[in-house]
Amino acid sequence: MSGTPARTADAVTAAEVVCLGESMVTFLPSQPGRLADVPSFGRGIGGAESNVACALAAAGHRAAWVSRVGADGFGDHLVEAITGYGVDTSAVRRDPARPTGIYFRTATDRAADVHEVAYYRAGSAASAMSPDNVPYEALLAGRVLHLSGITAALSADCLALLRDLTAPRPGRPLVSFDVNHRPGLWRDGARPSVLLDLARGADLVFVGEDEAEEAWGVRGAEAIRAALPEPEVLVVKRGSEGATVFSRAASSHAEGTDSRTEAGTGTRADSRTEAGTGTRADAVTAVPALRVDVVAPVGAGDAFAAGFLSATLRGLPVRDRVRHGHLMAAAVLTVPGDLTDPPARAHADALAALDEGAWGRLRLGPGWTGEDQEVRTT
């Protein structure tokens, strides 16, 4: 990545999506095998929220990433690499007392028993983020603020920050929250049940069926919606089955409450109808997943969120928002790393507009994002 200079704070004001969270320098093995046996590593970047920002920027949106990194070479690399994707990093702060987080992983599939990840992020600069040291003027400047449960697990200060950002406030941007439950991060007596509280304060929530069951003991899309009645839009990811979206139309707000524009197209009012009163009915949209020849399973969840947010910003119908999420995820699944160039917008739009039968016959493999590549159907 080139070391493109960070843009001015004025550019943050123009951002469509602002993403907050820790990014780390990732060390990728030169060959398969145990970490103990790998002779050398290549360097990359990794972080759920910065992945979303990079994917959105690559898709033509104005995206900003807000975080803290160490005043070290790894911090330099992160900022330069993320800026190189076209993301505004002008609100990233440097911490002279704490390091930038790093991690190592094996080359094998994450689902395999032999997969290893070694994190060195305890006490990192990002784990010290709090309501007192992040620039709120940058966080609240976009149309959408994207957060994740990973940040909440880093420290008590980070949890306090997310509690504050998901609390009602006048003029708050639409808050997007990816639950992103990481069991290994929840230590020192903290419980992932707080993720449910944070999700209840968001407007748009992404959660996997598997992580909802693991974190909260809730099984199935309908039960997850019952546990999370507050968000305007709830996206339940169901693995190979696809995704189910529960959404409410702005026009169905109860009389006398502050209304909002359709999710993702404007700002959020500071009050809403009481959860569970039945004043606003859900529209339920189920969209099958694509068949993909997977090269590596890393980064797909972040890419799905980016695709869904991109289509949301464009005001597309819910079905097409999910399809763009699936397509963005397929772009990442068919390359070795966490990030890749997405399909051209016209190419993705054409695929998202297919009828149900044609969508079901799609099969995407490496190289499918190129406009001159023929997409297979079976």
Side-chain angles (χ1 to χ4, degrees):
M1 288 296 166
S2 64
T4 307
R7 287 171 281 178
T8 65
D10 290 342
V12 179
T13 304
E16 294 176 278
V17 181
V18 179
C19 302
L20 168 79
E22 180 172 38
S23 190
M24 294 175 289
V25 173
T26 310
F27 288 93
L28 308 171
S30 58
Q31 64 185 45
R34 301 184 310 154
L35 287 179
D37 300 327
V38 174
S40 61
F41 296 81
R43 185 177 64 176
I45 61 173
E49 301 84 4
S50 60
N51 283 349
V52 171
C54 289
L56 283 167
H61 295 282
R62 299 184 307 277
W65 173 59
V66 178
S67 189
R68 291 175 70 84
V69 299
D72 51 32
F74 290 142
D76 293 341
H77 176 64
L78 279 177
V79 173
E80 291 170 5
I82 293 169
T83 303
Y85 275 91
V87 176
D88 182 354
T89 59
S90 61
V92 175
R93 299 292 181 257
R94 310 303 289 262
D95 188 330
R98 296 177 179 86
T100 303
I102 64 173
Y103 75 97
F104 297 77
R105 66 174 174 87
T106 52
T108 48
D109 189 305
R110 287 190 177 190
D113 293 338
V114 295
H115 181 68
E116 299 173 71
V117 180
Y119 288 103
Y120 298 90
R121 72 195 306 178
S124 69
S127 70
M129 290 189 295
S130 77
D132 299 323
N133 64 16
V134 297
Y136 271 57
E137 68 279 4
L139 289 175
L140 304 178
R143 291 171 58 188
V144 177
L145 172 62
H146 181 69
L147 310 169
S148 119
I150 293 173
T151 304
L154 297 180
S155 69
D157 282 342
C158 284
L159 176 57
L161 175 61
L162 260 64
R163 287 192 187 279
D164 194 45
L165 291 172
T166 54
R169 70 175 70 237
R172 187 184 88 169
L174 181 139
V175 173
S176 166
F177 182 73
D178 192 336
V179 171
N180 253 332
H181 175 45
R182 297 290 185 269
L185 292 177
W186 291 97
R187 300 171 181 171
D188 302 325
R191 298 179 61 83
S193 58
V194 302
L195 295 174
L196 191 61
D197 297 331
L198 296 172
R200 285 172 172 159
D203 303 297
L204 165 60
V205 173
F206 300 94
V207 63
E209 276 190 320
D210 54 348
E211 62 185 351
E213 183 172 0
E214 184 174 22
W216 310 324
V218 177
R219 178 179 300 179
E222 294 288 344
I224 294 170
R225 183 48 158 173
L228 279 172
E230 296 89 351
E232 291 288 321
V233 178
L234 173 66
V235 182
V236 179
K237 297 177 290 184
R238 305 178 59 222
S240 61
E241 296 299 313
T244 299
V245 180
F246 299 86
S247 56
R248 297 192 181 108
S251 59
S252 61
H253 278 287
E255 185 179 355
T257 62
D258 291 322
S259 63
R260 282 179 268 189
T261 57
E262 185 178 1
T265 61
T267 57
R268 175 189 186 279
D270 61 355
S271 64
R272 54 181 133 185
T273 56
E274 184 179 356
T277 60
T279 54
R280 290 179 286 165
D282 272 332
V284 181
T285 307
V287 180
L290 290 163
R291 288 177 291 173
V292 179
D293 297 330
V294 177
V295 172
V298 295
D302 304 330
F304 178 92
F308 191 96
L309 286 171
S310 173
T312 298
L313 287 164
R314 296 170 59 202
L316 299 184
V318 171
R319 186 206 68 169
D320 290 359
R321 299 180 194 189
V322 182
R323 286 189 170 188
H324 276 277
H326 286 321
L327 289 166
M328 193 82 86
V332 169
L333 287 169
T334 50
V335 299
D338 291 32
L339 292 166
T340 189
D341 290 332
R345 182 171 290 185
H347 186 26
D349 283 346
L351 294 177
L354 292 173
D355 61 39
E356 298 297 324
W359 176 263
R361 292 191 296 273
L362 284 180
R363 188 180 187 97
L364 304 179
W368 75 269
T369 57
E371 293 186 75
D372 58 344
Q373 296 294 315
E374 182 177 353
V375 175
R376 287 182 292 159
T377 58
T378 57

